[in-house]
Amino acid sequence: MGVAPISKPTVAVLVTLYNPTGEGGHQGGGVAAPIGAQIFGEVLPYLETIKDGETGEEEKREVEVPNIEGKTIKEATSILKENNLQIVISNEQEGMDKENTTVKQQTPKATIKVKEGSNIYVEW
């Protein structure tokens, strides 16, 4: 079991292994801990969690995600930029017609509050 960051936990990970084997033997520190560390290493940057002892460059303010579903990719990019958010297009193709391709789905959904600079993932 692990939590992070220690001072104000926001994420908990439980790794359960049945019949563990390997270089670490049967002890959690050698077998389960590397798995937990990998999970934390991938989850914490996505959540923009600050490590203990760090203050962060400056506190980013929260913004409400606008509804960009049904908008063209070009319109959605502009709307997100106005709100200090980044667009990430799934399956983006070279030469894609962003003026006529519309957003079918977005994550996170509209009205969710996120930190400035966060990625908004769109499918077309």
Side-chain angles (χ1 to χ4, degrees), residues 54-69:
E54 292 182 358
T55 59
E57 297 163 15
E58 61 182 58
E59 283 294 316
K60 293 183 180 179
R61 66 182 182 94
E62 286 190 341
V63 294
E64 189 174 291
V65 176
N67 184 7
I68 54 172
E69 291 180 5

Side-chain angles (χ1 to χ4, degrees), residues 36-84:
Q38 182 176 356
I39 294 169
F40 280 125
E42 293 180 22
V43 171
L44 294 177
Y46 175 75
L47 298 175
E48 299 176 354
T49 302
I50 296 174
K51 294 179 185 176
D52 283 337
E54 292 182 358
T55 59
E57 297 163 15
E58 61 182 58
E59 283 294 316
K60 293 183 180 179
R61 66 182 182 94
E62 286 190 341
V63 294
E64 189 174 291
V65 176
N67 184 7
I68 54 172
E69 291 180 5
K71 307 279 188 203
T72 66
I73 297 290
K74 184 177 180 181
E75 292 170 327
T77 301
S78 178
I79 292 167
L80 293 176
K81 189 174 182 177
E82 290 172 9
N83 287 278
N84 296 320

